[in-house]
Amino acid sequence: TDVCESADWYNSKFIVSMAANMNMTRTPDVHFIAEARTEGTKFVVLSPDFSQIAKYCDEWIPLQAGQDTALWMAANHVILKEYYIDRQVPYFIDYVKRYT
């Protein structure tokens, strides 16, 4: 949440908040998440505590210290396996051959 424009949240279909309590730290911006949710956006919170923002999410994942990296590595594994290994995309194959 530290580099994107908050208004872009309204255009999102899936938002993940990782260990950030936006009700406290981004009070003027958090309404964009509420507005996006009314349009069907799914909102997931990754945080060890059930914070103010977690009570409004669709899914709360209570990660403990050190588990966040493992979760994102697993997510990347699923994305790469399902979209680039199981389904061969010529653009991706060309990119990998050229740059790795």
mmCIF file of all heavy atoms in Angstrom, residues 19-67:
data_model
loop_
_atom_site.group_PDB
_atom_site.id
_atom_site.type_symbol
_atom_site.label_atom_id
_atom_site.label_comp_id
_atom_site.label_asym_id
_atom_site.label_seq_id
_atom_site.Cartn_x
_atom_site.Cartn_y
_atom_site.Cartn_z
ATOM 1 N N ALA A 19 -0.284 -6.913 6.513
ATOM 2 C CA ALA A 19 0.199 -6.321 7.766
ATOM 3 C C ALA A 19 0.088 -4.806 7.775
ATOM 4 O O ALA A 19 0.964 -4.104 8.249
ATOM 5 C CB ALA A 19 1.633 -6.762 8.048
ATOM 6 N N ALA A 20 -1.002 -4.290 7.214
ATOM 7 C CA ALA A 20 -1.237 -2.847 7.217
ATOM 8 C C ALA A 20 -2.651 -2.592 7.719
ATOM 9 O O ALA A 20 -3.598 -3.178 7.223
ATOM 10 C CB ALA A 20 -1.067 -2.279 5.813
ATOM 11 N N ASN A 21 -2.771 -1.738 8.701
ATOM 12 C CA ASN A 21 -4.076 -1.367 9.218
ATOM 13 C C ASN A 21 -4.467 -0.047 8.579
ATOM 14 O O ASN A 21 -4.215 1.022 9.113
ATOM 15 C CB ASN A 21 -4.036 -1.260 10.737
ATOM 16 C CG ASN A 21 -5.419 -1.116 11.332
ATOM 17 O OD1 ASN A 21 -6.394 -0.919 10.613
ATOM 18 N ND2 ASN A 21 -5.493 -1.212 12.640
ATOM 19 N N MET A 22 -5.074 -0.123 7.396
ATOM 20 C CA MET A 22 -5.358 1.081 6.618
ATOM 21 C C MET A 22 -6.362 2.000 7.281
ATOM 22 O O MET A 22 -6.378 3.194 6.995
ATOM 23 C CB MET A 22 -5.805 0.693 5.219
ATOM 24 C CG MET A 22 -4.663 0.122 4.414
ATOM 25 S SD MET A 22 -5.160 -0.375 2.779
ATOM 26 C CE MET A 22 -5.768 -2.005 3.121
ATOM 27 N N ASN A 23 -7.210 1.484 8.162
ATOM 28 C CA ASN A 23 -8.116 2.368 8.891
ATOM 29 C C ASN A 23 -7.346 3.372 9.739
ATOM 30 O O ASN A 23 -7.806 4.486 9.950
ATOM 31 C CB ASN A 23 -9.041 1.561 9.801
ATOM 32 C CG ASN A 23 -10.101 0.830 9.029
ATOM 33 O OD1 ASN A 23 -10.206 0.967 7.820
ATOM 34 N ND2 ASN A 23 -10.884 0.048 9.717
ATOM 35 N N MET A 24 -6.175 2.963 10.206
ATOM 36 C CA MET A 24 -5.369 3.845 11.052
ATOM 37 C C MET A 24 -4.321 4.621 10.260
ATOM 38 O O MET A 24 -4.050 5.775 10.568
ATOM 39 C CB MET A 24 -4.662 3.024 12.136
ATOM 40 C CG MET A 24 -5.589 2.313 13.068
ATOM 41 S SD MET A 24 -6.547 3.411 14.099
ATOM 42 C CE MET A 24 -5.306 3.998 15.203
ATOM 43 N N THR A 25 -3.730 3.994 9.254
ATOM 44 C CA THR A 25 -2.603 4.628 8.563
ATOM 45 C C THR A 25 -2.986 5.349 7.280
ATOM 46 O O THR A 25 -2.249 6.220 6.828
ATOM 47 C CB THR A 25 -1.526 3.581 8.229
ATOM 48 O OG1 THR A 25 -2.093 2.578 7.381
ATOM 49 C CG2 THR A 25 -0.981 2.938 9.494
ATOM 50 N N ARG A 26 -4.106 4.987 6.664
ATOM 51 C CA ARG A 26 -4.552 5.629 5.421
ATOM 52 C C ARG A 26 -6.041 5.941 5.507
ATOM 53 O O ARG A 26 -6.817 5.622 4.624
ATOM 54 C CB ARG A 26 -4.261 4.722 4.237
ATOM 55 C CG ARG A 26 -2.756 4.508 4.079
ATOM 56 C CD ARG A 26 -2.427 3.792 2.858
ATOM 57 N NE ARG A 26 -2.661 4.616 1.688
ATOM 58 C CZ ARG A 26 -2.071 4.402 0.519
ATOM 59 N NH1 ARG A 26 -1.228 3.417 0.385
ATOM 60 N NH2 ARG A 26 -2.344 5.159 -0.512
ATOM 61 N N THR A 27 -6.416 6.598 6.566
ATOM 62 C CA THR A 27 -7.821 6.892 6.834
ATOM 63 C C THR A 27 -8.527 7.582 5.669
ATOM 64 O O THR A 27 -9.635 7.195 5.314
ATOM 65 C CB THR A 27 -7.947 7.725 8.129
ATOM 66 O OG1 THR A 27 -7.281 7.029 9.178
ATOM 67 C CG2 THR A 27 -9.396 7.945 8.502
ATOM 68 N N PRO A 28 -7.917 8.580 5.012
ATOM 69 C CA PRO A 28 -8.634 9.239 3.915
ATOM 70 C C PRO A 28 -8.819 8.355 2.683
ATOM 71 O O PRO A 28 -9.657 8.648 1.843
ATOM 72 C CB PRO A 28 -7.748 10.428 3.563
ATOM 73 C CG PRO A 28 -6.776 10.574 4.650
ATOM 74 C CD PRO A 28 -6.659 9.246 5.313
ATOM 75 N N ASP A 29 -8.036 7.287 2.576
ATOM 76 C CA ASP A 29 -8.053 6.461 1.367
ATOM 77 C C ASP A 29 -8.844 5.168 1.493
ATOM 78 O O ASP A 29 -9.201 4.558 0.484
ATOM 79 C CB ASP A 29 -6.615 6.073 0.983
ATOM 80 C CG ASP A 29 -5.744 7.279 0.722
ATOM 81 O OD1 ASP A 29 -6.290 8.297 0.272
ATOM 82 O OD2 ASP A 29 -4.531 7.190 0.963
ATOM 83 N N VAL A 30 -9.102 4.723 2.699
ATOM 84 C CA VAL A 30 -9.658 3.388 2.898
ATOM 85 C C VAL A 30 -11.064 3.250 2.309
ATOM 86 O O VAL A 30 -11.501 2.147 1.992
ATOM 87 C CB VAL A 30 -9.603 2.998 4.388
ATOM 88 C CG1 VAL A 30 -10.705 3.657 5.180
ATOM 89 C CG2 VAL A 30 -9.638 1.490 4.545
ATOM 90 N N HIS A 31 -11.742 4.342 2.070
ATOM 91 C CA HIS A 31 -13.093 4.241 1.501
ATOM 92 C C HIS A 31 -13.075 3.649 0.097
ATOM 93 O O HIS A 31 -14.075 3.082 -0.358
ATOM 94 C CB HIS A 31 -13.798 5.599 1.492
ATOM 95 C CG HIS A 31 -13.241 6.571 0.506
ATOM 96 N ND1 HIS A 31 -13.753 6.679 -0.773
ATOM 97 C CD2 HIS A 31 -12.229 7.455 0.605
ATOM 98 C CE1 HIS A 31 -13.079 7.617 -1.420
ATOM 99 N NE2 HIS A 31 -12.141 8.089 -0.605
ATOM 100 N N PHE A 32 -11.942 3.756 -0.600
ATOM 101 C CA PHE A 32 -11.857 3.168 -1.942
ATOM 102 C C PHE A 32 -12.010 1.645 -1.889
ATOM 103 O O PHE A 32 -12.553 1.039 -2.807
ATOM 104 C CB PHE A 32 -10.539 3.529 -2.634
ATOM 105 C CG PHE A 32 -10.474 4.966 -3.066
ATOM 106 C CD1 PHE A 32 -9.610 5.851 -2.442
ATOM 107 C CD2 PHE A 32 -11.263 5.431 -4.101
ATOM 108 C CE1 PHE A 32 -9.534 7.166 -2.842
ATOM 109 C CE2 PHE A 32 -11.203 6.751 -4.509
ATOM 110 C CZ PHE A 32 -10.340 7.627 -3.866
ATOM 111 N N ILE A 33 -11.526 1.026 -0.830
ATOM 112 C CA ILE A 33 -11.683 -0.425 -0.689
ATOM 113 C C ILE A 33 -13.152 -0.770 -0.450
ATOM 114 O O ILE A 33 -13.679 -1.705 -1.056
ATOM 115 C CB ILE A 33 -10.790 -0.982 0.437
ATOM 116 C CG1 ILE A 33 -9.328 -0.879 0.017
ATOM 117 C CG2 ILE A 33 -11.156 -2.419 0.767
ATOM 118 C CD1 ILE A 33 -8.346 -1.331 1.047
ATOM 119 N N ALA A 34 -13.822 0.005 0.390
ATOM 120 C CA ALA A 34 -15.243 -0.242 0.632
ATOM 121 C C ALA A 34 -16.042 -0.081 -0.656
ATOM 122 O O ALA A 34 -16.933 -0.886 -0.951
ATOM 123 C CB ALA A 34 -15.762 0.717 1.698
ATOM 124 N N GLU A 35 -15.718 0.921 -1.448
ATOM 125 C CA GLU A 35 -16.420 1.140 -2.709
ATOM 126 C C GLU A 35 -16.129 0.018 -3.700
ATOM 127 O O GLU A 35 -17.028 -0.431 -4.423
ATOM 128 C CB GLU A 35 -16.032 2.489 -3.297
ATOM 129 C CG GLU A 35 -16.546 3.659 -2.467
ATOM 130 C CD GLU A 35 -15.981 4.988 -2.912
ATOM 131 O OE1 GLU A 35 -15.440 5.075 -4.031
ATOM 132 O OE2 GLU A 35 -16.091 5.949 -2.132
ATOM 133 N N ALA A 36 -14.889 -0.459 -3.734
ATOM 134 C CA ALA A 36 -14.539 -1.558 -4.634
ATOM 135 C C ALA A 36 -15.272 -2.827 -4.237
ATOM 136 O O ALA A 36 -15.733 -3.586 -5.091
ATOM 137 C CB ALA A 36 -13.026 -1.783 -4.618
ATOM 138 N N ARG A 37 -15.401 -3.060 -2.936
ATOM 139 C CA ARG A 37 -16.093 -4.266 -2.475
ATOM 140 C C ARG A 37 -17.558 -4.259 -2.872
ATOM 141 O O ARG A 37 -18.139 -5.303 -3.141
ATOM 142 C CB ARG A 37 -15.947 -4.418 -0.966
ATOM 143 C CG ARG A 37 -14.508 -4.781 -0.597
ATOM 144 C CD ARG A 37 -14.355 -5.245 0.822
ATOM 145 N NE ARG A 37 -15.054 -6.500 1.001
ATOM 146 C CZ ARG A 37 -15.861 -6.742 2.034
ATOM 147 N NH1 ARG A 37 -16.061 -5.832 2.947
ATOM 148 N NH2 ARG A 37 -16.441 -7.914 2.148
ATOM 149 N N THR A 38 -18.177 -3.094 -2.935
ATOM 150 C CA THR A 38 -19.575 -3.048 -3.370
ATOM 151 C C THR A 38 -19.697 -3.410 -4.841
ATOM 152 O O THR A 38 -20.769 -3.812 -5.287
ATOM 153 C CB THR A 38 -20.204 -1.659 -3.133
ATOM 154 O OG1 THR A 38 -19.514 -0.685 -3.907
ATOM 155 C CG2 THR A 38 -20.189 -1.293 -1.671
ATOM 156 N N GLU A 39 -18.604 -3.297 -5.594
ATOM 157 C CA GLU A 39 -18.587 -3.668 -7.009
ATOM 158 C C GLU A 39 -18.119 -5.105 -7.225
ATOM 159 O O GLU A 39 -17.909 -5.529 -8.350
ATOM 160 C CB GLU A 39 -17.683 -2.716 -7.796
ATOM 161 C CG GLU A 39 -18.175 -1.286 -7.817
ATOM 162 C CD GLU A 39 -19.516 -1.149 -8.523
ATOM 163 O OE1 GLU A 39 -19.679 -1.752 -9.602
ATOM 164 O OE2 GLU A 39 -20.396 -0.456 -7.984
ATOM 165 N N GLY A 40 -17.877 -5.857 -6.127
ATOM 166 C CA GLY A 40 -17.530 -7.266 -6.242
ATOM 167 C C GLY A 40 -16.067 -7.603 -6.024
ATOM 168 O O GLY A 40 -15.678 -8.754 -6.164
ATOM 169 N N THR A 41 -15.240 -6.627 -5.681
ATOM 170 C CA THR A 41 -13.829 -6.887 -5.426
ATOM 171 C C THR A 41 -13.674 -7.764 -4.188
ATOM 172 O O THR A 41 -14.347 -7.550 -3.182
ATOM 173 C CB THR A 41 -13.076 -5.566 -5.210
ATOM 174 O OG1 THR A 41 -13.193 -4.778 -6.390
ATOM 175 C CG2 THR A 41 -11.619 -5.789 -4.892
ATOM 176 N N LYS A 42 -12.801 -8.749 -4.271
ATOM 177 C CA LYS A 42 -12.483 -9.584 -3.119
ATOM 178 C C LYS A 42 -11.332 -8.936 -2.363
ATOM 179 O O LYS A 42 -10.362 -8.462 -2.957
ATOM 180 C CB LYS A 42 -12.086 -10.998 -3.553
ATOM 181 C CG LYS A 42 -13.197 -11.741 -4.251
ATOM 182 C CD LYS A 42 -14.393 -11.899 -3.348
ATOM 183 C CE LYS A 42 -15.520 -12.573 -4.081
ATOM 184 N NZ LYS A 42 -16.794 -12.373 -3.436
ATOM 185 N N PHE A 43 -11.422 -8.942 -1.043
ATOM 186 C CA PHE A 43 -10.434 -8.277 -0.189
ATOM 187 C C PHE A 43 -9.905 -9.275 0.829
ATOM 188 O O PHE A 43 -10.661 -9.859 1.597
ATOM 189 C CB PHE A 43 -11.088 -7.078 0.499
ATOM 190 C CG PHE A 43 -10.169 -6.293 1.380
ATOM 191 C CD1 PHE A 43 -8.910 -5.921 0.951
ATOM 192 C CD2 PHE A 43 -10.581 -5.906 2.638
ATOM 193 C CE1 PHE A 43 -8.067 -5.184 1.771
ATOM 194 C CE2 PHE A 43 -9.748 -5.169 3.465
ATOM 195 C CZ PHE A 43 -8.499 -4.809 3.025
ATOM 196 N N VAL A 44 -8.584 -9.479 0.819
ATOM 197 C CA VAL A 44 -7.927 -10.427 1.713
ATOM 198 C C VAL A 44 -6.928 -9.671 2.582
ATOM 199 O O VAL A 44 -6.184 -8.814 2.084
ATOM 200 C CB VAL A 44 -7.194 -11.528 0.909
ATOM 201 C CG1 VAL A 44 -6.429 -12.455 1.828
ATOM 202 C CG2 VAL A 44 -8.191 -12.314 0.075
ATOM 203 N N VAL A 45 -6.901 -9.980 3.847
ATOM 204 C CA VAL A 45 -5.964 -9.359 4.787
ATOM 205 C C VAL A 45 -5.012 -10.419 5.317
ATOM 206 O O VAL A 45 -5.449 -11.469 5.797
ATOM 207 C CB VAL A 45 -6.702 -8.664 5.952
ATOM 208 C CG1 VAL A 45 -5.727 -8.182 7.007
ATOM 209 C CG2 VAL A 45 -7.538 -7.515 5.435
ATOM 210 N N LEU A 46 -3.720 -10.151 5.199
ATOM 211 C CA LEU A 46 -2.674 -11.015 5.752
ATOM 212 C C LEU A 46 -2.090 -10.287 6.953
ATOM 213 O O LEU A 46 -1.356 -9.316 6.793
ATOM 214 C CB LEU A 46 -1.574 -11.267 4.717
ATOM 215 C CG LEU A 46 -2.000 -11.749 3.340
ATOM 216 C CD1 LEU A 46 -0.812 -11.817 2.405
ATOM 217 C CD2 LEU A 46 -2.682 -13.078 3.438
ATOM 218 N N SER A 47 -2.417 -10.742 8.132
ATOM 219 C CA SER A 47 -1.973 -10.053 9.338
ATOM 220 C C SER A 47 -2.095 -10.996 10.525
ATOM 221 O O SER A 47 -3.059 -11.756 10.611
ATOM 222 C CB SER A 47 -2.839 -8.817 9.569
ATOM 223 O OG SER A 47 -2.451 -8.144 10.736
ATOM 224 N N PRO A 48 -1.139 -10.946 11.462
ATOM 225 C CA PRO A 48 -1.217 -11.837 12.619
ATOM 226 C C PRO A 48 -2.361 -11.479 13.570
ATOM 227 O O PRO A 48 -2.865 -12.333 14.281
ATOM 228 C CB PRO A 48 0.133 -11.666 13.298
ATOM 229 C CG PRO A 48 0.670 -10.383 12.797
ATOM 230 C CD PRO A 48 0.079 -10.161 11.450
ATOM 231 N N ASP A 49 -2.801 -10.218 13.572
ATOM 232 C CA ASP A 49 -3.870 -9.801 14.470
ATOM 233 C C ASP A 49 -5.144 -9.495 13.689
ATOM 234 O O ASP A 49 -5.103 -9.099 12.540
ATOM 235 C CB ASP A 49 -3.456 -8.575 15.283
ATOM 236 C CG ASP A 49 -3.109 -7.385 14.409
ATOM 237 O OD1 ASP A 49 -2.717 -7.591 13.244
ATOM 238 O OD2 ASP A 49 -3.228 -6.250 14.882
ATOM 239 N N PHE A 50 -6.269 -9.706 14.326
ATOM 240 C CA PHE A 50 -7.554 -9.404 13.705
ATOM 241 C C PHE A 50 -7.808 -7.918 13.931
ATOM 242 O O PHE A 50 -8.441 -7.518 14.899
ATOM 243 C CB PHE A 50 -8.661 -10.263 14.307
ATOM 244 C CG PHE A 50 -9.924 -10.233 13.510
ATOM 245 C CD1 PHE A 50 -10.017 -10.955 12.331
ATOM 246 C CD2 PHE A 50 -11.012 -9.500 13.921
ATOM 247 C CE1 PHE A 50 -11.179 -10.950 11.584
ATOM 248 C CE2 PHE A 50 -12.179 -9.478 13.187
ATOM 249 C CZ PHE A 50 -12.259 -10.200 12.015
ATOM 250 N N SER A 51 -7.285 -7.100 13.027
ATOM 251 C CA SER A 51 -7.298 -5.650 13.190
ATOM 252 C C SER A 51 -8.608 -5.039 12.707
ATOM 253 O O SER A 51 -9.522 -5.739 12.267
ATOM 254 C CB SER A 51 -6.134 -5.056 12.397
ATOM 255 O OG SER A 51 -6.304 -5.342 11.021
ATOM 256 N N GLN A 52 -8.675 -3.706 12.754
ATOM 257 C CA GLN A 52 -9.875 -3.007 12.303
ATOM 258 C C GLN A 52 -10.160 -3.278 10.830
ATOM 259 O O GLN A 52 -11.308 -3.385 10.430
ATOM 260 C CB GLN A 52 -9.715 -1.504 12.508
ATOM 261 C CG GLN A 52 -9.742 -1.089 13.948
ATOM 262 C CD GLN A 52 -9.544 0.406 14.091
ATOM 263 O OE1 GLN A 52 -9.229 1.101 13.131
ATOM 264 N NE2 GLN A 52 -9.715 0.907 15.295
ATOM 265 N N ILE A 53 -9.112 -3.385 10.018
ATOM 266 C CA ILE A 53 -9.313 -3.628 8.596
ATOM 267 C C ILE A 53 -9.686 -5.081 8.331
ATOM 268 O O ILE A 53 -10.445 -5.386 7.410
ATOM 269 C CB ILE A 53 -8.074 -3.195 7.770
ATOM 270 C CG1 ILE A 53 -8.420 -3.045 6.289
ATOM 271 C CG2 ILE A 53 -6.931 -4.149 7.945
ATOM 272 C CD1 ILE A 53 -9.223 -1.845 5.972
ATOM 273 N N ALA A 54 -9.225 -5.999 9.164
ATOM 274 C CA ALA A 54 -9.516 -7.423 8.965
ATOM 275 C C ALA A 54 -10.995 -7.743 9.161
ATOM 276 O O ALA A 54 -11.506 -8.663 8.542
ATOM 277 C CB ALA A 54 -8.665 -8.267 9.899
ATOM 278 N N LYS A 55 -11.673 -6.984 9.986
ATOM 279 C CA LYS A 55 -13.084 -7.298 10.214
ATOM 280 C C LYS A 55 -13.964 -6.981 9.014
ATOM 281 O O LYS A 55 -15.109 -7.412 8.957
ATOM 282 C CB LYS A 55 -13.599 -6.603 11.472
ATOM 283 C CG LYS A 55 -13.683 -5.111 11.400
ATOM 284 C CD LYS A 55 -14.161 -4.556 12.738
ATOM 285 C CE LYS A 55 -14.207 -3.047 12.704
ATOM 286 N NZ LYS A 55 -14.632 -2.492 13.974
ATOM 287 N N TYR A 56 -13.428 -6.256 8.032
ATOM 288 C CA TYR A 56 -14.191 -5.939 6.824
ATOM 289 C C TYR A 56 -13.790 -6.768 5.613
ATOM 290 O O TYR A 56 -14.356 -6.613 4.547
ATOM 291 C CB TYR A 56 -14.020 -4.462 6.467
ATOM 292 C CG TYR A 56 -14.558 -3.544 7.527
ATOM 293 C CD1 TYR A 56 -13.715 -2.760 8.286
ATOM 294 C CD2 TYR A 56 -15.924 -3.490 7.782
ATOM 295 C CE1 TYR A 56 -14.210 -1.925 9.267
ATOM 296 C CE2 TYR A 56 -16.426 -2.663 8.766
ATOM 297 C CZ TYR A 56 -15.566 -1.877 9.496
ATOM 298 O OH TYR A 56 -16.064 -1.066 10.473
ATOM 299 N N CYS A 57 -12.812 -7.646 5.759
ATOM 300 C CA CYS A 57 -12.296 -8.381 4.599
ATOM 301 C C CYS A 57 -13.152 -9.608 4.294
ATOM 302 O O CYS A 57 -13.949 -10.046 5.104
ATOM 303 C CB CYS A 57 -10.847 -8.780 4.827
ATOM 304 S SG CYS A 57 -10.628 -10.012 6.119
ATOM 305 N N ASP A 58 -12.946 -10.153 3.100
ATOM 306 C CA ASP A 58 -13.608 -11.395 2.718
ATOM 307 C C ASP A 58 -12.883 -12.601 3.307
ATOM 308 O O ASP A 58 -13.500 -13.624 3.590
ATOM 309 C CB ASP A 58 -13.643 -11.532 1.193
ATOM 310 C CG ASP A 58 -14.491 -10.457 0.565
ATOM 311 O OD1 ASP A 58 -15.686 -10.390 0.892
ATOM 312 O OD2 ASP A 58 -13.964 -9.675 -0.243
ATOM 313 N N GLU A 59 -11.582 -12.471 3.452
ATOM 314 C CA GLU A 59 -10.762 -13.576 3.970
ATOM 315 C C GLU A 59 -9.633 -12.994 4.815
ATOM 316 O O GLU A 59 -8.926 -12.093 4.377
ATOM 317 C CB GLU A 59 -10.184 -14.378 2.812
ATOM 318 C CG GLU A 59 -9.428 -15.612 3.199
ATOM 319 C CD GLU A 59 -10.333 -16.765 3.586
ATOM 320 O OE1 GLU A 59 -11.439 -16.867 3.052
ATOM 321 O OE2 GLU A 59 -9.900 -17.562 4.438
ATOM 322 N N TRP A 60 -9.474 -13.501 6.028
ATOM 323 C CA TRP A 60 -8.370 -13.099 6.898
ATOM 324 C C TRP A 60 -7.431 -14.280 7.042
ATOM 325 O O TRP A 60 -7.839 -15.365 7.460
ATOM 326 C CB TRP A 60 -8.889 -12.659 8.261
ATOM 327 C CG TRP A 60 -7.823 -12.454 9.288
ATOM 328 C CD1 TRP A 60 -6.714 -11.666 9.177
ATOM 329 C CD2 TRP A 60 -7.767 -13.037 10.594
ATOM 330 N NE1 TRP A 60 -5.972 -11.731 10.338
ATOM 331 C CE2 TRP A 60 -6.599 -12.562 11.218
ATOM 332 C CE3 TRP A 60 -8.585 -13.908 11.282
ATOM 333 C CZ2 TRP A 60 -6.240 -12.929 12.503
ATOM 334 C CZ3 TRP A 60 -8.227 -14.279 12.565
ATOM 335 C CH2 TRP A 60 -7.061 -13.779 13.166
ATOM 336 N N ILE A 61 -6.168 -14.082 6.695
ATOM 337 C CA ILE A 61 -5.158 -15.126 6.826
ATOM 338 C C ILE A 61 -4.196 -14.689 7.928
ATOM 339 O O ILE A 61 -3.422 -13.750 7.741
ATOM 340 C CB ILE A 61 -4.414 -15.361 5.494
ATOM 341 C CG1 ILE A 61 -5.415 -15.740 4.404
ATOM 342 C CG2 ILE A 61 -3.347 -16.438 5.667
ATOM 343 C CD1 ILE A 61 -4.821 -15.878 3.028
ATOM 344 N N PRO A 62 -4.247 -15.337 9.099
ATOM 345 C CA PRO A 62 -3.438 -14.909 10.241
ATOM 346 C C PRO A 62 -1.990 -15.396 10.157
ATOM 347 O O PRO A 62 -1.578 -16.310 10.869
ATOM 348 C CB PRO A 62 -4.172 -15.519 11.433
ATOM 349 C CG PRO A 62 -4.807 -16.747 10.882
ATOM 350 C CD PRO A 62 -5.156 -16.430 9.455
ATOM 351 N N LEU A 63 -1.226 -14.788 9.280
ATOM 352 C CA LEU A 63 0.183 -15.162 9.129
ATOM 353 C C LEU A 63 0.988 -14.739 10.345
ATOM 354 O O LEU A 63 0.779 -13.660 10.892
ATOM 355 C CB LEU A 63 0.785 -14.488 7.900
ATOM 356 C CG LEU A 63 0.253 -14.921 6.548
ATOM 357 C CD1 LEU A 63 0.951 -14.135 5.456
ATOM 358 C CD2 LEU A 63 0.458 -16.397 6.341
ATOM 359 N N GLN A 64 1.915 -15.577 10.722
ATOM 360 C CA GLN A 64 2.843 -15.241 11.789
ATOM 361 C C GLN A 64 4.156 -14.771 11.169
ATOM 362 O O GLN A 64 4.374 -14.926 9.964
ATOM 363 C CB GLN A 64 3.077 -16.459 12.684
ATOM 364 C CG GLN A 64 1.813 -16.967 13.353
ATOM 365 C CD GLN A 64 1.120 -15.910 14.194
ATOM 366 O OE1 GLN A 64 1.744 -15.169 14.940
ATOM 367 N NE2 GLN A 64 -0.198 -15.831 14.055
ATOM 368 N N ALA A 65 5.025 -14.226 11.966
ATOM 369 C CA ALA A 65 6.308 -13.723 11.478
ATOM 370 C C ALA A 65 7.056 -14.825 10.730
ATOM 371 O O ALA A 65 7.177 -15.944 11.216
ATOM 372 C CB ALA A 65 7.146 -13.217 12.645
ATOM 373 N N GLY A 66 7.515 -14.518 9.532
ATOM 374 C CA GLY A 66 8.271 -15.460 8.724
ATOM 375 C C GLY A 66 7.438 -16.273 7.756
ATOM 376 O O GLY A 66 7.973 -16.894 6.852
ATOM 377 N N GLN A 67 6.118 -16.273 7.916
ATOM 378 C CA GLN A 67 5.262 -17.042 7.024
ATOM 379 C C GLN A 67 4.893 -16.301 5.749
ATOM 380 O O GLN A 67 4.450 -16.915 4.786
ATOM 381 C CB GLN A 67 3.973 -17.453 7.737
ATOM 382 C CG GLN A 67 4.184 -18.441 8.855
ATOM 383 C CD GLN A 67 2.880 -18.772 9.556
ATOM 384 O OE1 GLN A 67 1.942 -17.990 9.574
ATOM 385 N NE2 GLN A 67 2.826 -19.959 10.152
#
